Coordinates of all heavy atoms in Angstrom, one line a residue:
I25 N 8.2 17.3 1.6 CA 8.3 15.9 2.2 C 7.1 15.7 3.2 O 6.5 14.6 3.1 CB 9.6 15.7 2.9 CG1 10.8 15.6 1.9 CG2 9.6 14.4 3.7 CD1 12.2 15.5 2.5
A26 N 6.9 16.6 4.1 CA 5.9 16.4 5.1 C 4.5 16.3 4.5 O 3.7 15.4 5.0 CB 5.9 17.5 6.1
L27 N 4.1 17.1 3.5 CA 2.8 17.1 3.0 C 2.6 16.3 1.7 O 1.8 15.4 1.7 CB 2.3 18.6 2.8 CG 2.4 19.5 4.0 CD1 2.0 20.9 3.6 CD2 1.4 18.9 5.1
A28 N 3.3 16.7 0.6 CA 3.1 16.1 -0.7 C 3.7 14.7 -0.8 O 3.0 13.7 -1.2 CB 3.6 17.0 -1.8
N29 N 5.0 14.6 -0.4 CA 5.7 13.3 -0.6 C 5.1 12.2 0.3 O 4.9 11.1 -0.2 CB 7.2 13.5 -0.3 CG 8.0 12.3 -0.8 OD1 8.1 12.0 -2.0 ND2 8.5 11.5 0.2
S30 N 4.7 12.6 1.5 CA 4.1 11.6 2.4 C 2.7 11.1 1.8 O 2.4 9.9 1.9 CB 3.8 12.2 3.8 OG 3.0 13.3 3.7
F31 N 2.0 12.0 1.2 CA 0.7 11.6 0.6 C 0.9 10.7 -0.6 O 0.3 9.6 -0.8 CB -0.1 12.8 0.1 CG -1.5 12.5 -0.4 CD1 -2.5 12.4 0.5 CD2 -1.7 12.4 -1.8 CE1 -3.8 12.1 0.0 CE2 -2.9 12.1 -2.3 CZ -4.0 11.9 -1.4
L32 N 1.9 11.0 -1.5 CA 2.2 10.2 -2.6 C 2.7 8.8 -2.2 O 2.3 7.8 -2.8 CB 3.3 10.8 -3.5 CG 2.8 12.1 -4.3 CD1 4.0 12.8 -4.8 CD2 1.8 11.7 -5.3
E33 N 3.6 8.7 -1.2 CA 4.1 7.4 -0.7 C 2.9 6.6 -0.1 O 2.9 5.4 -0.3 CB 5.2 7.6 0.3 CG 6.5 8.1 -0.3 CD 7.6 8.3 0.7 OE1 7.4 8.0 1.9 OE2 8.7 8.7 0.4
E34 N 2.0 7.2 0.6 CA 0.9 6.5 1.2 C 0.0 6.0 0.1 O -0.5 4.8 0.1 CB 0.1 7.4 2.2 CG 0.8 7.6 3.4 CD 1.4 6.3 4.0 OE1 0.6 5.4 4.3 OE2 2.6 6.3 4.2
F35 N -0.3 6.8 -0.9 CA -1.1 6.3 -2.1 C -0.4 5.1 -2.8 O -1.0 4.1 -3.1 CB -1.2 7.5 -3.1 CG -1.8 7.0 -4.4 CD1 -3.0 6.3 -4.6 CD2 -1.0 7.2 -5.6 CE1 -3.4 5.9 -5.8 CE2 -1.5 6.8 -6.8 CZ -2.7 6.2 -6.9
F36 N 0.9 5.2 -3.0 CA 1.6 4.2 -3.8 C 1.8 2.9 -2.9 O 1.5 1.8 -3.4 CB 3.0 4.7 -4.2 CG 3.7 3.8 -5.2 CD1 3.2 3.7 -6.5 CD2 4.8 3.1 -4.8 CE1 3.9 2.9 -7.4 CE2 5.4 2.3 -5.7 CZ 5.0 2.2 -7.0
F37 N 2.4 3.1 -1.7 CA 2.8 1.9 -1.0 C 1.6 1.3 -0.1 O 1.6 0.1 0.1 CB 4.0 2.2 -0.1 CG 5.3 2.4 -0.8 CD1 5.8 3.7 -1.0 CD2 5.9 1.3 -1.3 CE1 7.0 3.9 -1.7 CE2 7.1 1.5 -2.0 CZ 7.6 2.8 -2.2
R38 N 0.7 2.1 0.3 CA -0.4 1.6 1.1 C -1.7 1.5 0.3 O -2.3 0.4 0.3 CB -0.6 2.5 2.4 CG -0.2 1.9 3.7 CD 1.3 1.7 3.7 NE 2.1 2.9 3.8 CZ 3.4 3.0 3.8 NH1 4.1 1.9 3.8 NH2 4.0 4.1 3.9
G39 N -2.0 2.5 -0.4 CA -3.2 2.4 -1.2 C -3.2 1.4 -2.3 O -4.0 0.5 -2.5
Y40 N -2.1 1.5 -3.1 CA -1.9 0.7 -4.3 C -1.2 -0.6 -3.9 O -1.5 -1.7 -4.3 CB -1.1 1.4 -5.3 CG -0.6 0.6 -6.5 CD1 -1.5 0.0 -7.4 CD2 0.8 0.5 -6.8 CE1 -1.0 -0.7 -8.5 CE2 1.2 -0.2 -7.9 CZ 0.3 -0.7 -8.8 OH 0.8 -1.4 -9.9
G41 N -0.1 -0.5 -3.0 CA 0.7 -1.6 -2.6 C 0.1 -2.5 -1.6 O 0.6 -3.7 -1.4
F42 N -0.8 -2.0 -0.8 CA -1.4 -2.9 0.2 C -2.9 -3.1 0.0 O -3.4 -4.2 -0.2 CB -1.2 -2.4 1.6 CG -1.9 -3.1 2.7 CD1 -1.6 -4.4 3.0 CD2 -2.9 -2.5 3.4 CE1 -2.3 -5.1 3.9 CE2 -3.6 -3.2 4.4 CZ -3.3 -4.5 4.6
I43 N -3.7 -2.0 0.1 CA -5.2 -2.1 0.0 C -5.6 -2.8 -1.3 O -6.4 -3.6 -1.3 CB -5.8 -0.7 0.2 CG1 -5.5 -0.2 1.6 CG2 -7.3 -0.8 0.0 CD1 -6.0 1.3 1.8
T44 N -5.0 -2.3 -2.4 CA -5.3 -2.9 -3.7 C -4.7 -4.3 -3.9 O -5.4 -5.2 -4.3 CB -4.8 -2.0 -4.8 OG1 -5.4 -0.7 -4.7 CG2 -5.2 -2.5 -6.2
L45 N -3.5 -4.4 -3.5 CA -2.8 -5.7 -3.7 C -3.5 -6.9 -2.9 O -3.6 -8.0 -3.4 CB -1.3 -5.6 -3.2 CG -0.5 -6.9 -3.3 CD1 -0.4 -7.5 -4.7 CD2 0.9 -6.7 -2.7
K46 N -4.0 -6.6 -1.7 CA -4.5 -7.7 -0.9 C -5.9 -8.2 -1.4 O -6.3 -9.3 -1.0 CB -4.7 -7.2 0.6 CG -5.9 -6.3 0.8 CD -6.1 -6.1 2.3 CE -7.3 -5.2 2.5 NZ -7.7 -5.1 3.9
K47 N -6.5 -7.5 -2.4 CA -7.7 -7.9 -3.1 C -7.3 -9.1 -4.0 O -8.2 -9.8 -4.5 CB -8.4 -6.8 -3.8 CG -8.9 -5.7 -2.9 CD -9.5 -4.6 -3.6 CE -9.9 -3.4 -2.7 NZ -10.8 -3.7 -1.6
Y48 N -6.1 -9.2 -4.4 CA -5.7 -10.2 -5.4 C -4.7 -11.2 -4.9 O -4.2 -12.0 -5.7 CB -5.1 -9.5 -6.7 CG -5.9 -8.3 -7.2 CD1 -5.5 -7.0 -7.0 CD2 -7.2 -8.6 -7.7 CE1 -6.3 -6.0 -7.5 CE2 -8.0 -7.5 -8.2 CZ -7.5 -6.2 -8.0 OH -8.3 -5.2 -8.4
T49 N -4.3 -11.1 -3.6 CA -3.4 -12.0 -3.0 C -3.8 -12.2 -1.6 O -4.8 -11.6 -1.1 CB -2.0 -11.5 -3.1 OG1 -1.1 -12.5 -2.6 CG2 -1.8 -10.3 -2.3
N50 N -3.1 -13.0 -0.8 CA -3.5 -13.1 0.6 C -3.0 -11.9 1.5 O -2.0 -11.3 1.1 CB -3.0 -14.5 1.2 CG -1.5 -14.5 1.3 OD1 -0.9 -13.9 2.2 ND2 -0.8 -15.3 0.5
R51 N -3.7 -11.7 2.5 CA -3.5 -10.5 3.4 C -2.1 -10.5 4.0 O -1.5 -9.4 4.0 CB -4.5 -10.6 4.5 CG -4.5 -9.4 5.5 CD -5.7 -9.5 6.4 NE -5.6 -8.6 7.5 CZ -5.2 -8.9 8.7 NH1 -4.8 -10.2 9.0 NH2 -5.2 -8.1 9.7
R52 N -1.6 -11.6 4.4 CA -0.2 -11.6 5.0 C 0.9 -11.2 4.0 O 1.8 -10.4 4.4 CB 0.1 -13.0 5.6 CG 1.4 -13.1 6.3 CD 1.6 -14.5 6.9 NE 0.7 -14.8 7.9 CZ 0.6 -16.0 8.5 NH1 1.5 -17.0 8.2 NH2 -0.3 -16.2 9.5
F53 N 0.8 -11.7 2.8 CA 1.7 -11.4 1.8 C 1.7 -9.9 1.5 O 2.7 -9.2 1.4 CB 1.5 -12.2 0.5 CG 2.4 -11.8 -0.6 CD1 3.7 -12.3 -0.7 CD2 1.9 -10.9 -1.6 CE1 4.5 -11.9 -1.8 CE2 2.8 -10.5 -2.6 CZ 4.1 -11.0 -2.7
A54 N 0.5 -9.3 1.4 CA 0.3 -7.9 1.1 C 0.9 -7.0 2.2 O 1.6 -6.0 1.9 CB -1.2 -7.6 0.9
Y55 N 0.7 -7.5 3.4 CA 1.3 -6.7 4.6 C 2.8 -6.7 4.5 O 3.4 -5.6 4.5 CB 0.9 -7.5 5.9 CG -0.2 -6.8 6.7 CD1 -1.5 -7.2 6.7 CD2 0.2 -5.7 7.6 CE1 -2.5 -6.6 7.4 CE2 -0.8 -5.1 8.3 CZ -2.1 -5.6 8.3 OH -3.1 -5.0 9.0
L56 N 3.4 -7.8 4.3 CA 4.9 -7.9 4.3 C 5.5 -7.3 3.1 O 6.5 -6.6 3.1 CB 5.3 -9.4 4.5 CG 5.1 -10.0 5.9 CD1 5.5 -11.5 5.9 CD2 5.9 -9.2 7.0

């Protein structure tokens, strides 16, 4: 959980779900 799962969650929810998403929508929506 501390090492692998945290990395996967950050990749999925922040890397894919925020950094990538905000390129195709507005920043506020991507944040929330």
Side-chain angles (χ1 to χ4, degrees):
I25 289 177
L27 300 178
N29 194 68
S30 61
F31 186 83
L32 290 168
E33 288 183 2
E34 288 312 303
F35 165 60
F36 189 74
F37 289 105
R38 253 65 67 179
Y40 173 63
F42 172 66
I43 295 173
T44 303
L45 177 61
K46 74 172 183 171
K47 298 180 187 301
Y48 311 111
T49 185
N50 69 72
R51 179 171 172 264
R52 182 178 297 178
F53 176 81
Y55 255 99
L56 289 175

